Amino acid sequence: MENHSFIIQPATEKHLHYAETITQEMEESAKARGTGIAKRSPEYIKTKMKEGKAVIALTKDGVWAGFCYIEAWGHGKFVANSGLIVAPEFRKYGLARQIKSEVFKLSRVKYPDAKIFGLTTGAAVMKINSDLGYVPVSYSDLTDDEEFWKGCNSCVNVEILKSKTRQNCLCTAMLYDPSKKAKTEEVALRKDFKKNLKLFERWTRLKKAILLNIKKTKNKTLSIF
């Protein structure tokens, strides 16, 4: 494997020209996975950069390598590190973990008292979150801010989320609570998930198999009438 070193830093206005590339890769990645938020506009990504609420990874030669941004909900009570993306040619180098670590630190600086949460279908991201102190929780432990949930409307699996009255979907919910770490551990749905990638992988496969089968069965039933 070729050796790569990256410059990972808070994104600023000098990085605005990368926005188009970032959004295109986000969309392509979501299509390849068959799940996830399908698209964010370049304008939205630029806003995050201008606000200092994003982390970008570049090679020493200035080639874009990865990105992640911060969203705040419920008047700053909840924070999400969203849109984690790594350029295809730089995957398998541990870059996603480095970016997540940096955006997590930035979130703690900007919102020191906020609960940090995430929704993901990726076992590797779940493992990274777990190492940072997140625990798997129920959807009811996340923000009830309607603006956050509206963001799921662009996901290909939004009908599953709606059918489950926003209590479940293919994504697994994870939460970090800086002020109540012990309590957060208590609400964890699966304590045995911690630092075990195989369990994350098994969990994501199981959710996908069950929920997509329900969706398929429902569609077949409706087609009869």
Side-chain angles (χ1 to χ4, degrees):
M1 180 180 289
E2 185 180 351
N3 184 34
H4 279 286
S5 60
F6 303 97
I7 300 169
I8 306 172
Q9 59 189 321
T12 65
E13 291 194 11
K14 70 178 182 181
H15 300 115
L16 297 181
H17 61 284
Y18 293 105
E20 188 73 37
T21 299
I22 291 169
T23 54
Q24 288 177 356
E25 189 53 49
M26 283 180 175
E27 185 174 11
E28 290 303 313
S29 179
K31 287 179 180 177
R33 295 194 311 270
T35 188
I37 305 305
K39 192 170 180 62
R40 286 288 185 259
S41 70
E43 290 71 27
Y44 185 83
I45 295 303
K46 288 178 181 179
T47 297
K48 290 298 177 183
M49 291 177 173
K50 292 175 182 177
E51 293 175 344
K53 296 179 181 178
V55 166
I56 193 167
L58 306 172
T59 68
K60 290 182 292 185
D61 299 324
V63 177
W64 174 74
F67 184 78
C68 192
Y69 61 88
I70 299 170
E71 292 180 304
W73 309 100
H75 305 290
K77 293 180 181 179
F78 287 86
V79 166
N81 296 156
S82 303
L84 175 63
I85 189 71
V86 173
E89 63 267 34
F90 299 120
R91 291 170 187 170
K92 307 297 184 183
Y93 293 101
L95 182 55
R97 179 179 296 277
Q98 296 176 59
I99 294 172
K100 279 287 289 186
S101 179
E102 290 304 313
V103 78
F104 181 79
K105 292 176 185 177
L106 185 61
S107 299
R108 297 283 290 116
V109 170
K110 286 188 168 292
Y111 302 93
D113 300 321
K115 295 178 181 179
I116 306 176
F117 72 98
L119 283 171
T120 181
T121 57
V125 174
M126 291 169 66
K127 173 64 167 59
I128 294 171
N129 286 347
S130 178
D131 290 343
L132 288 171
Y134 292 66
V135 294
V137 296
S138 67
Y139 279 32
S140 61
D141 291 305
L142 307 182
T143 179
D144 58 2
D145 193 318
E146 290 299 324
E147 287 303 310
F148 167 76
W149 294 102
K150 283 180 182 177
C152 292
N153 288 335
S154 61
C155 178
V156 295
N157 295 304
V158 66
E159 292 306 319
I160 295 177
L161 180 67
K162 291 178 178 178
S163 70
K164 295 295 181 181
T165 60
R166 222 161 66 184
Q167 295 301 306
N168 204 351
C169 198
L170 294 191
C171 286
T172 293
M174 301 189 77
L175 180 75
Y176 171 88
D177 187 340
S179 64
K180 301 177 181 177
K181 191 174 187 302
K183 182 178 178 181
T184 303
E185 293 287 350
E186 290 174 9
V187 300
L189 293 179
R190 293 287 301 268
K191 293 184 176 64
D192 57 342
F193 270 19
K194 196 171 181 68
K195 302 183 187 219
N196 192 328
L197 184 58
K198 289 184 178 180
L199 284 175
F200 284 126
E201 292 172 340
R202 193 178 308 154
W203 174 252
T204 53
R205 287 198 304 269
L206 181 61
K207 286 192 75 173
K208 188 172 183 179
I210 293 174
L211 293 176
L212 288 182
N213 186 58
I214 290 174
K215 180 180 179 182
K216 189 183 299 183
T217 303
K218 181 180 178 181
N219 290 339
K220 285 182 178 179
T221 303
L222 289 175
S223 66
I224 297 174
F225 299 95

